[in-house]
């Protein structure tokens, strides 16, 4: 049987917010709990320092925990978003059309005028964010697909079922 017609064809331009959502999925962890591990360790260091007492060695733990917590907050909520926005504007990622065609056994990715064929078994991670879907391939390439590119619930289900490994 021939796969000449795709079951789903998407063409889209990513916005800054969608790119940031996909970037957060790819870098801060695919599961919500993994985003909070490092700040929880910082809070645990703070609590340990308070337990030891502020008059002895505990004050160093409190200072260290507070320093790491402030550093985490600055990196996560100020520095990384600022740098991502600068790169997005500088390289004009939002002005290049991207696309994805789903077939029975494989998908085709369109970006920067080129085409890449990917088989569904090449997808290492699939995650759903607020605005986007993120596909991480075994080759460490990341594909970000905005949810707005999918028109109805049937297309969302078809897309999710194609890549989601249960």
């Amino acid at each position: 049987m021939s796969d000449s017609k795709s079951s789903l064809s998407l063409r889209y331009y990513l916005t800054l917010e969608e790119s940031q959502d996909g970037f957060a999925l790819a870098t801060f962890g695919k599961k919500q709990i993994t985003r909070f591990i490092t700040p929880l360790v910082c809070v645990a260091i703070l609590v340990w320092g308070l337990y030891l007492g502020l008059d002895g060695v505990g004050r160093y733990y409190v200072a260290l925990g507070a320093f790491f917590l402030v550093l985490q907050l600055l990196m996560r909520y100020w520095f990384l978003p600022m740098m991502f926005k600068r790169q997005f504007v500088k390289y004009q990622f939002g002005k290049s059309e991207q696309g994805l065609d789903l077939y029975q056994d494989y998908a085709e990715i369109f970006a920067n005028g080129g085409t890449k064929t990917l088989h569904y078994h090449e997808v290492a991670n699939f995650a759903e964010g607020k605005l986007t879907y993120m596909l991480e391939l075994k080759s460490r390439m990341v594909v970000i697909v905005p949810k707005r590119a999918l028109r109805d619930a049937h297309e969302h289900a078809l897309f999710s079922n194609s890549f989601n490994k249960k």
Side-chain angles (χ1 to χ4, degrees), residues 9 15 24 29 36 39 49 62 73 120 124 143 151 163-164:
S9 182
T15 64
F36 300 109
V62 170
L73 293 173
Y120 295 128
V143 179
R151 293 179 285 282
F163 296 107
N164 201 3

Side-chain angles (χ1 to χ4, degrees), residues 100 118 123 125-127 133-137 141-145 159 163:
L100 187 71
L118 92 104
V123 177
N125 290 315
F126 173 80
Y133 293 105
M134 188 272 309
L135 303 169
E136 183 180 359
L137 306 180
M141 183 174 113
V142 174
V143 179
I144 299 169
V145 179
F159 185 82
F163 296 107

Side-chain angles (χ1 to χ4, degrees), residues 5 28 33 43 53 88 98 140 146 152:
K5 186 175 181 325
F28 292 136
I33 190 71
V43 170
F88 186 86
Q98 300 173 26
R140 308 299 285 170
D152 56 20

Side-chain angles (χ1 to χ4, degrees), residues 74-85:
L74 283 174
M75 288 294 289
R76 188 165 293 181
Y77 297 108
W78 176 73
F79 183 73
L80 285 175
M82 181 207 44
M83 289 304 293
F84 188 84
K85 184 177 180 180

Side-chain angles (χ1 to χ4, degrees), residues 9-71:
S9 182
L10 306 172
R11 297 293 180 271
Y12 53 88
Y13 294 91
L14 284 174
T15 64
L16 176 62
E17 293 79 22
E18 291 165 344
S19 295
Q20 286 175 325
D21 185 50
F23 180 73
L25 286 172
T27 57
F28 292 136
K30 285 68 175 174
K31 296 183 180 168
Q32 195 69 23
I33 190 71
T34 59
R35 296 179 184 201
F36 300 109
I37 289 175
T38 307
L40 285 176
V41 169
C42 295
V43 170
I45 293 171
L46 273 166
V47 170
W48 178 252
L50 291 173
Y51 173 75
L52 292 176
L54 293 177
D55 55 344
V57 74
R59 67 176 170 235
Y60 299 113
Y61 284 102
V62 170
L64 188 65
F67 174 73
F68 284 144
L69 189 61
V70 168
L71 195 62

